[in-house]
Amino acid sequence: MGCQMSQMTDFRSVEAAEFRLAMRNLASGVAIVATGTETTRRGLTVSSVTSLCMDPPCLLVGVNSSSETHAAILANGRFGISLLGSGQEDLALRFAGGAKGIDRFATAPWEQGILDVPLLGPAIGALECVLHHHQVVGTHGLFIGRIVATCGGNGDPLVNFQGALRALPQA
């Protein structure tokens, strides 16, 4: 069964507010995507990271195309994803707009991974990616990263649900 593009254009898109309201009910993990070294480090908070395929191992992350981080990932061709845990809400907010540029990295211990990308030391997990593909859709760039290294950590995840950063309740 296939779709014809002419059929798909016959439908209007929902309004942004309606879309935002619907998506508030999709819980998602919170991460920091970062690239660069020393004074050229750039990063931001995302809740749009998903595994894509196992062969080759790839993930997909959405980044606003007007951000410094979007341009930096394109320039560097590599990026790191640090998965945030409960108790890291302040860091998530800092990278969501509380600080700019290199100043975002000032309050936490960062390491450079094997791809020379910034990785958060106390993250509950980290992935290092080389840029496999990039596509702009609307206001965002979709980056497909081929995963070349991972690092596991400990802790409970930080999630975004109904517009708030939350820890999952203990089982």
Side-chain angles (χ1 to χ4, degrees):
M1 173 188 264
C3 292
Q4 296 178 359
M5 289 302 286
S6 63
Q7 291 175 331
M8 294 184 69
T9 59
D10 294 341
F11 297 97
R12 73 164 182 86
S13 296
V14 298
E15 297 296 325
E18 181 181 355
F19 175 63
R20 191 175 298 112
L21 185 63
M23 293 306 293
R24 288 172 56 91
N25 291 315
L26 177 63
S28 57
V30 180
I32 293 175
V33 59
T35 192
T37 59
E38 301 189 24
T39 60
T40 66
R41 284 181 173 176
R42 296 295 179 265
L44 50 74
T45 301
V46 296
S47 58
S48 58
V49 176
T50 188
S51 62
L52 187 59
C53 60
M54 296 299 290
D55 188 17
C58 290
L59 60 75
L60 180 132
V61 61
V63 176
N64 191 308
S65 57
S66 67
S67 74
E68 291 179 319
T69 305
H70 184 276
I73 293 171
L74 287 175
N76 292 323
R78 61 190 70 166
F79 57 94
I81 303 282
S82 298
L83 308 175
L84 299 184
S86 62
Q88 295 179 317
E89 294 86 354
D90 288 346
L91 191 57
L93 294 172
R94 182 177 186 80
F95 274 77
K100 299 291 180 199
I102 189 68
D103 294 338
R104 290 182 172 181
F105 294 87
T107 63
W110 292 88
E111 303 165 3
Q112 292 299 118
I114 65 167
L115 291 178
D116 209 20
V117 295
L119 301 172
L120 180 64
I124 64 169
L127 303 103
E128 294 184 66
C129 303
V130 293
L131 183 57
H132 180 72
H133 185 74
H134 172 257
Q135 177 72 48
V136 174
V137 178
T139 60
H140 281 62
L142 301 179
F143 292 95
I144 296 174
R146 185 173 52 82
I147 303 164
V148 298
T150 65
C151 178
N154 293 311
D156 296 321
L158 182 64
V159 297
N160 181 3
F161 181 66
Q162 294 184 337
L165 297 175
R166 305 170 185 231
L168 293 177
Q170 296 296 314

